[in-house]
């Protein structure tokens, strides 16, 4: 008879708090468990022997921690010590039991994909801005930082019908100077998130009736914190992320400023993608696309709008017409923002498109490319994608805007990625894509004018690589890869933090192509000595790995790609 096995599994809730936080297996040994002893964190090994705490108790504990950090901050500021950056009063990890719970029924009547709140791991901020030169006491309003109890009134932006826990809005901890500081950082980087809307409405005091939704404001602060180069702001990323999702749910409950919610969701998607949280980013992309289509942002016809008919066909979710041409332009830009994100990141991660390109009445895109408002009269009512592929666009290539060029590059990047593993050079789809690529590439300056043009050029070269992946018979893909390496060599130190994170996915595709090319050359015994060619390809690979690694200091996703290429290279 086999010996009886002792069950060493701990009962739920009996692991130490440190192992619970890190999701590690704990043996429950007291006073210090084996995991904490092994990792030299005996001081952090503690046990909670009480029953599950109420939300009020958790909030009170959080208040105590915040006040303690605030006291430390004030003491550090008063002593004038220069030894390290002071701790932020918001350097407190929000307890998962305080996270909002998704409610699938909230948006079912609008046929949305409901939002759920996911756990967040924040990546370190890159060295970029001058945040550390500003005294934290000038940026934060500690006296305003108070956590509301369960029975307190909800914040002004929250709907009374929202069922869920109380929230501490991290924006309330910021002084006006700090808010302006974060806005300045975001607007310096907004092109990396395809955000080209008017900036005037984001400056306080807000114009009555034109205030941006708190969800969008919090999403902007979130991304600004990522670039702020200060631990104080890094600690605020998680609170801003949570608050943004909370405000999104509030907006969906009340149908409040829904075009802003499309943009807020798009910014969240980018934040998640660049931190290598692909499926969460895809979920927000899918939800934003569904909301954009539901509100008719994909079928805006400017001539109809300006004559009082908006939109041309009644949307599933009615929204007020734009007040003026500026708001109309912002809605057009909001649609193309999430369209571009969907095309780029779905292709980069081999995921289905959130917005199908089927030419059906529901999916057909009628919203014009994001051109200057003065060019709307020349556009007509032609569907933009059909005109783009037919070569029948009416706009002058010299009048193209960056948002328009980026959206078109995203279309080709996604289209060619579908056939990169088995494209037939003699097939109709191949010729169709190649013709569109040649036409479009001729409108792009041959010398990059700035980082945005460099990213667009890289996407176009990568699209050629997608089509001409058969490196053993077609050297044009290798030529395109070499051109991308040359673009990398033109980058300066100031360029790295300003690049669109999608460029890392392009560099990964190029690296994979060179790895395949080297493998084929090593098997080729009929072409003589190819060591110089292989050496050249390896040099290009080294440049790509170095670029991915450098870019990884700003975006975690790029660092993961660098590790992947290094592993493939052996």
């Amino acid at each position: 008879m086999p010996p009886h096995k002792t069950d060493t599994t701990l009962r739920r809730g009996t692991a130490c708090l440190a192992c619970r936080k890190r999701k590690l297996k704990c043996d429950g040994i007291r006073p210090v468990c084996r995991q904490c002893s092994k990792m030299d964190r005996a001081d952090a090994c503690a046990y909670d022997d009480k029953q599950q705490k109420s939300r009020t108790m958790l909030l009170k504990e959080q208040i105590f921690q915040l006040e303690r950090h605030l006291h430390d901050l004030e003491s550090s500021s008063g002593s004038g010590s220069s030894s390290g950056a002071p701790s932020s009063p918001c350097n407190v990890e929000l307890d998962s039991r305080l996270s909002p719970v998704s409610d699938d029924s909230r948006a079912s009547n609008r046929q949305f994909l409901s939002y759920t709140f996911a756990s967040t791991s924040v990546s370190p901020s890159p060295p970029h801005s001058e945040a550390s030169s500003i005294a934290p006491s000038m940026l934060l309003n500690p006296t305003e930082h108070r956590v509301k109890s369960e029975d307190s009134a909800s914040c002004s932006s929250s709907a009374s019908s929202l069922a869920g826990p109380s929230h501490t809005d991290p924006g309330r901890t910021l002084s006006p100077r700090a808010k302006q500081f974060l806005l300045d950082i975001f607007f310096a980087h907004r092109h990396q998130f395809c955000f080209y809307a008017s900036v005037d409405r984001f400056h306080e005091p807000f114009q009555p009736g034109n205030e941006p939704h708190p969800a969008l404001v919090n999403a902007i602060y979130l991304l600004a914190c990522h670039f702020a180069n200060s631990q104080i702001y890094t600690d605020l990323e998680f609170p801003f992320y949570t608050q943004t999702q909370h405000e999104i749910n509030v907006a969906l409950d009340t149908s409040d400023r829904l075009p802003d919610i499309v943009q807020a969701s798009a910014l969240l998607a980018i934040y998640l993608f660049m931190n290598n949280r692909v499926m969460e980013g895809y979920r927000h992309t899918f939800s934003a696309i569904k909301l954009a289509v539901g509100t008719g942002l994909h079928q805006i016809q400017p001539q109809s709008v300006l004559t009082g008919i908006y939109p041309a066909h009644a949307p599933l979710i009615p929204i007020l017409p734009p007040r003026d041409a500026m708001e109309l332009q912002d809605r057009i830009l909001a649609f193309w923002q999430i369209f571009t994100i969907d095309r780029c990141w779905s292709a980069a991660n081999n995921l289905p498109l959130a917005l199908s390109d089927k030419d059906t009445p529901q999916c057909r895109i009628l919203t014009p490319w994001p051109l200057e408002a003065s060019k709307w009269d020349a556009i007509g009512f032609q569907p933009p994608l059909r005109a783009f592929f037919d070569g029948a666009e009416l706009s002058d290539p010299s009048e193209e805007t960056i948002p328009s060029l980026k959206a078109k590059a995203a279309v080709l990047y996604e289209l060619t990625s579908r056939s990169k593993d088995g494209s037939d050079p003699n097939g109709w789809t191949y010729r169709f894509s190649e013709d569109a690529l040649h036409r479009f590439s001729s409108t792009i300056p041959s010398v990059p004018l700035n980082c945005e043009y460099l990213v667009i050029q890289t996407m176009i070269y990568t699209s050629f690589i997608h089509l001409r992946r058969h490196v053993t018979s077609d050297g044009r893909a290798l030529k395109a890869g070499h051109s991308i390496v040359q673009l990398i060599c033109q980058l300066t130190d100031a360029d790295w933090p300003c690049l669109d994170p999608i460029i890392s996915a392009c560099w990964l595709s190029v690296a994979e192509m060179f790895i395949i090319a080297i493998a084929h050359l090593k098997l080729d015994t009929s072409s003589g000595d190819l060591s110089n060619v292989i050496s050249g390809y390896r040099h290009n690979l080294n440049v790509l790995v170095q670029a991915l690694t450098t870019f990884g200091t700003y975006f975690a996703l790029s660092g993961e790609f660098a590790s992947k290429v290094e592993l493939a290279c052996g």
Side-chain angles (χ1 to χ4, degrees):
M1 182 174 178
H4 176 70
K5 293 185 179 180
T6 302
D7 187 5
T8 59
T9 303
L10 291 177
R11 292 197 326 272
R12 182 178 180 84
T14 57
C16 79
L17 298 178
C19 290
R20 278 195 238 171
K21 178 180 177 181
R22 294 168 174 81
K23 296 182 173 58
L24 298 175
K25 186 175 181 180
C26 181
D27 54 17
I29 296 177
R30 305 194 183 207
V32 181
C33 73
R34 188 171 290 117
Q35 284 280 12
C36 290
S37 177
K38 181 173 62 176
M39 301 182 73
D40 194 23
R41 56 165 187 265
D43 293 342
C45 189
Y47 291 87
D48 186 359
D49 295 323
K50 300 178 181 179
Q51 298 297 319
Q52 184 167 355
K53 300 175 184 178
S54 68
R55 182 164 312 164
T56 301
M57 188 177 298
L58 291 168
L59 287 168
K60 287 180 179 179
E61 290 180 357
Q62 187 174 351
I63 291 173
F64 174 77
Q65 294 181 53
L66 290 170
E67 289 176 342
R68 185 179 63 184
H69 279 278
L70 174 58
H71 176 73
D72 294 342
L73 174 64
E74 290 173 341
S75 299
S76 174
S77 177
S79 64
S81 173
S82 60
S83 59
S87 300
S88 167
C90 288
N91 187 14
V92 177
E93 182 173 348
L94 301 183
D95 194 290
S96 60
R97 288 166 287 184
L98 297 178
S99 300
V101 181
S102 63
D103 184 352
D104 293 340
S105 63
R106 287 178 187 165
S108 59
N109 60 326
R110 306 181 192 94
Q111 300 183 19
F112 297 155
L113 179 67
S114 64
Y115 287 80
T116 56
F117 286 71
S119 60
T120 303
S121 58
V122 180
S123 62
S125 295
H128 174 59
S129 68
E130 299 296 327
S132 57
S133 63
I134 300 178
S137 59
M138 300 175 65
L139 298 180
L140 301 173
N141 284 339
T143 57
E144 296 182 7
H145 189 75
R146 293 292 183 269
V147 181
K148 296 184 178 181
S149 61
E150 286 186 279
D151 56 353
S152 64
S154 60
C155 61
S156 59
S157 62
S158 300
S160 60
S161 61
L162 179 64
S166 301
H167 284 268
T168 301
D169 183 353
R172 295 180 59 200
T173 69
L174 301 178
S175 68
R177 181 177 178 182
K179 292 178 181 178
Q180 187 58 53
F181 173 73
L182 290 178
L183 287 175
D184 291 343
I185 290 178
F186 174 81
F187 290 130
H189 290 272
R190 62 181 183 146
H191 60 278
Q192 294 166 267
F193 320 119
C194 305
F195 187 93
Y196 298 98
S198 171
V199 303
D200 295 337
R201 63 191 294 244
F202 294 95
H203 296 294
E204 297 185 6
F206 298 131
Q207 300 176 9
N210 194 34
E211 304 94 335
H213 194 280
L216 181 54
V217 175
N218 278 281
I220 286 173
Y221 289 159
L222 166 65
L223 286 161
C225 285
H226 181 83
F227 288 97
N229 188 27
S230 168
Q231 188 61 42
I232 290 176
Y233 290 108
T234 298
D235 292 340
L236 287 172
E237 285 188 50
F238 180 78
F240 275 126
Y241 175 76
T242 304
Q243 186 67 20
T244 301
Q245 294 192 98
H246 168 69
E247 296 291 356
I248 286 174
N249 276 336
V250 171
L252 295 181
D253 278 345
T254 59
S255 296
D256 183 17
R257 288 166 281 183
L258 295 181
D260 283 2
I261 304 308
V262 172
Q263 291 178 297
S265 299
L267 293 179
L268 276 188
I270 287 285
Y271 176 79
L272 292 163
F273 281 131
M274 72 190 197
N275 282 291
N276 202 29
R277 296 168 60 182
V278 174
M279 295 314 298
E280 292 173 85
Y282 182 66
R283 176 173 60 84
H284 281 284
T285 302
F286 194 94
S287 300
I289 283 289
K290 204 163 188 180
L291 182 57
V293 171
T295 54
L297 296 186
H298 68 311
Q299 295 186 337
I300 297 175
Q301 298 181 18
Q303 295 87 346
S304 298
V305 175
L306 297 177
T307 55
I309 305 172
Y310 179 80
H313 305 287
L316 179 65
I317 310 163
I319 57 176
L320 293 174
R323 285 175 294 250
D324 50 34
M326 179 65 71
E327 186 174 355
L328 173 62
Q329 178 80 344
D330 282 349
R331 292 188 182 185
I332 291 174
L333 289 166
F335 168 73
W336 287 109
Q337 176 192 18
I338 190 57
F339 173 92
T340 303
I341 292 170
D342 178 34
R343 285 305 197 268
C344 287
W345 291 99
S346 295
N349 294 293
N350 198 28
L351 293 168
L353 286 174
L355 178 58
S356 171
D357 55 2
K358 294 180 180 178
D359 193 21
T360 63
Q362 294 78 19
C363 296
R364 183 178 299 128
I365 296 173
L366 301 178
T367 300
W369 298 111
L371 304 173
E372 298 293 337
S374 59
K375 310 301 178 187
W376 287 341
D377 290 338
I379 295 174
F381 289 97
Q382 54 183 347
L385 292 179
R386 183 184 302 171
F388 174 60
F389 284 117
D390 291 346
E393 292 189 290
L394 300 178
S395 58
D396 187 339
S398 64
E399 298 173 345
E400 290 274 18
T401 62
I402 288 291
S404 176
L405 291 174
K406 189 177 285 188
K408 292 175 181 179
V411 169
L412 295 170
Y413 175 76
E414 188 279 327
L415 178 65
T416 56
S417 72
R418 297 186 211 172
S419 57
K420 66 182 181 182
D421 295 323
S423 54
D424 177 10
N426 298 317
W428 178 85
T429 303
Y430 183 97
R431 295 196 307 271
F432 174 78
S433 303
E434 188 173 41
D435 289 345
L437 261 175
H438 279 296
R439 278 197 310 271
F440 178 65
S441 61
S442 65
T443 67
I444 308 298
S446 56
V447 178
L449 303 178
N450 53 38
C451 286
E452 293 197 81
Y453 278 103
L454 186 142
V455 171
I456 292 169
Q457 283 184 321
T458 299
M459 292 176 66
I460 294 304
Y461 284 132
T462 306
S463 299
F464 277 112
I465 291 172
H466 287 168
L467 282 180
R468 297 159 176 169
R469 198 61 174 264
H470 310 288
V471 295
T472 54
S473 59
D474 191 342
R476 291 173 292 179
L478 294 166
K479 182 178 180 181
H482 183 67
S483 297
I484 290 176
V485 171
Q486 289 181 317
L487 290 176
I488 293 173
C489 294
Q490 297 178 32
L491 292 171
T492 65
D493 291 343
D495 292 330
W496 291 100
C498 299
L499 293 172
D500 189 320
I502 192 62
I503 200 171
S504 61
C506 296
W507 292 341
L508 177 63
S509 295
V510 182
E512 290 173 342
M513 178 198 65
F514 280 121
I515 290 172
I516 294 172
I518 290 173
H520 279 294
L521 290 179
K522 287 182 176 180
L523 296 175
D524 186 357
T525 58
S526 61
S527 300
D529 185 9
L530 297 173
S531 57
N532 289 337
V533 179
I534 293 176
S535 177
Y537 292 169
R538 283 179 173 160
H539 167 74
N540 288 344
L541 265 178
N542 290 336
V543 172
L544 289 162
V545 170
Q546 184 61 42
L548 288 167
T549 302
T550 302
F551 202 41
T553 63
Y554 303 98
F555 303 109
L557 178 69
S558 185
E560 292 290 333
F561 287 163
S563 300
K564 183 177 180 180
V565 175
E566 288 178 326
L567 182 63
C569 292

